[in-house]
Amino acid sequence: MTSLSADQLRLLQRRLDAAGVGATPAPIPRRPAGETRSPASHAQERLFFFEKMNPGSALYVVAGALRMRGELDLAVLRDTVRLLVGRHEALRTGLEIDADGGVVQVVHPQETVEVELPVRGVTEAELWHEARLACARPFDLAGPSLLRAVLFQVGPAEWYLVLCVHHIVVDGWSLGILLEEFAVVYGALCGGGRPELRPLPIRYADFASWHRDRVSGDALAGQIEYWRGQLAGVRPFELPPDGVPGRPFAGGDVPLTVPADLVDGMRRLGEAEGATLYMVLATAWAVVLSRWADRADVVWGTAIAARTRTELEGLVGFFVNTLALRVDVRAPLTFRELLGRVRKTCLDAYAHQELPFDQLVKAIRPDRDTTGRTPIVRHLLVLHNTPPARAQLPGISTEVLPVHTGTAKFELEIELSPAADGGLTGFAEFAADVLTESSARRLLVSLVEVLRAGIADADCPVWRLPLAAAEELDPARAHLLDRSLAEVPVGVVGQLFVSGSEAGQGFAGNPARTAECFVPDPSGSGTRLYATGIRARRNASGALEFLAPPAEPRQVVAERVEPQPDKVSARTEVERVITRIWSELLEAEDVGVHDDFFDLGGHSLLAVRILHRIHAACHVELDLVDFFEAGTVANVAGLVEKATPAKPARSIPKLDRARFRADEDRSDHGAH
């Protein structure tokens, strides 16, 4: 994760102590010995209520597999698992509601927890399907154990130990602890000795109570104030969907590798700019998100270990916290300048990391998220700072492998770790109702391409960084271009430009408008392209998909709310209705009845949405060309008042694109 490793934390603390910076913090107090019921942590509460609303979901099952090749002692293996469950209270903890309605942890005595380790013979082809089924089985949060272990045998000397644990009692760091201790215990028991493990100074229940006190009241008022300012006006960041609606939280996964030479370049750039490897990676990620969604205000999340105290280093439990990172990716920023912006955002977030994510959500109070996904953060980028843990077992070769449960907590989650060759390796997990596997793969290709280009020329404007190799682009008479007028690859949102006879000759008697909307063909053909204002993208088959326009970035909105002294307010009921519709869909306040639709940021696709709203509110149907020629609230209100009331509102039929283009050509040579 993006926080320091345990060794780095210890070194930092020693240096701070030696320099006299700060005092050694008071130890985390222990709760009464023998206590079995105690308050849940804030993070546990959040997952507990999610499970109650989504019973049977495997969304928060943390899983991994240990492949073992060699002569395995099954009796010792079972004893090893039992010893670890006895050592770590979290592995025999359940959660329930107490009489006062609070969520409490209940630690079950070791003798009451039955640890099962069934052995199942499977073929190589069946293995991962069976592993996924084992992890998809619901957990009873009351316990007594939220751990499930299954041993799959593929051949005479090939085994896969699959461990499934509910996230409410472990995090990724915890799995690393268990793997290291598994190797120590198994090795000692195989040799007939007793394992030597470092005593645990506190329990997870001690941490949960201490942390609740630490974040209650005014203790974190400064952190709350920071996050309110940082996330003011935040809207959910969404990638244009092309997935297939299905069961909630269904997901898939694709592998991701960042080559060693590219990682070397990332490090060199980071060192030159005082930035970490994660910050360089996140800069490219911000560019990709912004370009794919055609939105400057970008928000994503990262996970931090949140183990800021030495007492917590060897403890199994749920400590991880989510940080929301928000940057403005606006032209003409260069990659280097954006890296500086990302660096500051990350450092500020790390300095305010103690506020639990659920407390942040309560403080920000974002709009209700109808997708059911995490509010504020829908995309996660995590870079673990150490290679995946390894287990050295006597006479057995091992390899740690991920187990994907077929679910996705985020629209897209990327997790990377250092690879043995100096590169980065990991995977991306995607929501199947938002992205297809092919679009997820293209996103990852774009991430690598932007990294390469940004490192090769850090002073290149971010809007000129390529999202795909040149051979993947497909110029045509209908062009999808980004803000630098470069062709965008499949799946990426761009503005629709048309060439040839479709572009027309310009706006009659309006050379300024012509210069604004007609641009030279970037291919150098000498022709001009007409900017339609329509956002679209190409799907995998090459067909165009038309998209709703994005809301304006917060800075632009702020400029528009300034009152204009010469505006004329609505004078009739019809003008008031239309003004309200324009204000909502254009996200512009103080719309005057004589303001031009296109000057306010309107375009063809938005006009269709406005006509639909007028039809629903006023029960009249207006022609798109008439709307373009009218151009203002006052003129459109006049059309409404003259129109014959239509039948009750109905859905808009599918547009005939050929007619639509013809209508636009007529209006393009008119008064709009």
Side-chain angles (χ1 to χ4, degrees), residues 389-414:
R390 292 185 173 275
Q392 300 296 327
L393 304 182
I396 299 173
S397 64
T398 64
E399 181 181 5
V400 179
L401 300 169
V403 176
H404 298 285
T405 61
T407 62
K409 294 183 284 294
F410 299 90
E411 286 189 1
L412 187 64
E413 174 180 357
I414 295 177

Side-chain angles (χ1 to χ4, degrees), residues 32-258:
E35 180 187 62
T36 59
R37 299 172 69 86
S38 59
S41 67
H42 283 293
Q44 287 180 319
E45 280 185 345
R46 176 165 55 89
L47 294 198
F48 182 86
F49 287 116
F50 173 88
E51 287 293 333
K52 291 303 179 184
M53 295 172 61
N54 302 271
S57 171
L59 187 63
Y60 284 102
V61 173
V62 179
L66 180 64
R67 180 166 64 184
M68 299 174 286
R69 291 174 173 170
E71 294 298 324
L72 189 65
D73 190 323
L74 294 183
V76 170
L77 184 65
R78 288 190 173 94
D79 288 342
T80 299
V81 175
R82 292 191 184 101
L83 191 150
L84 292 176
V85 171
R87 171 175 165 83
H88 294 285
E89 283 190 356
L91 301 181
R92 43 190 173 87
T93 294
L95 289 100
E96 59 185 47
I97 299 288
D98 65 7
D100 297 325
V103 182
V104 295
Q105 303 179 69
V106 181
V107 179
H108 298 276
Q110 182 176 357
E111 61 271 14
T112 67
V113 178
E114 185 176 348
V115 179
E116 297 180 352
L117 184 59
V119 180
R120 300 177 185 171
V122 295
T123 65
E124 192 76 40
E126 298 169 335
L127 172 64
W128 296 114
H129 174 71
E130 292 297 321
R132 181 172 293 184
L133 288 179
C135 294
R137 282 172 45 206
F139 279 105
D140 178 2
L141 290 188
S145 177
L146 298 182
L147 174 146
R148 181 180 303 125
V150 182
L151 185 64
F152 293 100
Q153 184 174 11
V154 176
E158 184 171 1
W159 315 78
Y160 290 79
L161 176 62
V162 174
L163 196 67
C164 316
V165 197
H166 199 283
H167 202 357
I168 208 166
V169 294
V170 299
D171 52 20
W173 184 301
S174 298
L175 293 186
I177 293 171
L178 291 174
L179 184 62
E180 291 176 1
E181 293 188 351
F182 173 85
V184 172
V185 174
Y186 183 89
L189 295 181
C190 278
R194 294 181 59 84
E196 295 184 4
L197 298 173
R198 185 174 54 178
L200 299 174
I202 63 171
R203 305 176 301 160
Y204 182 78
D206 301 328
F207 160 79
S209 296
W210 169 81
H211 193 251
R212 291 185 73 91
D213 291 340
R214 186 176 176 83
V215 301
S216 63
D218 296 330
L220 295 182
Q223 298 221 1
I224 292 175
E225 182 180 358
Y226 164 79
W227 287 111
R228 280 180 173 157
Q230 176 66 8
L231 299 176
V234 69
R235 296 177 292 111
F237 187 90
E238 299 174 314
L239 292 171
D242 66 351
V244 179
R247 62 185 179 89
F249 306 111
D253 59 273
V254 291
L256 173 61
T257 298
V258 181

Side-chain angles (χ1 to χ4, degrees), residues 413-456:
E413 174 180 357
I414 295 177
E415 292 207 21
L416 288 168
S417 299
D421 64 356
L424 299 174
T425 184
F427 61 88
E429 194 173 78
F430 61 91
D433 61 340
V434 177
L435 299 171
T436 61
E437 181 176 328
S438 61
S439 60
R441 289 182 183 276
R442 287 195 299 272
L443 270 161
L444 300 187
V445 168
S446 291
L447 176 59
V448 175
E449 290 292 328
V450 169
L451 275 172
R452 282 202 180 280
I455 290 166

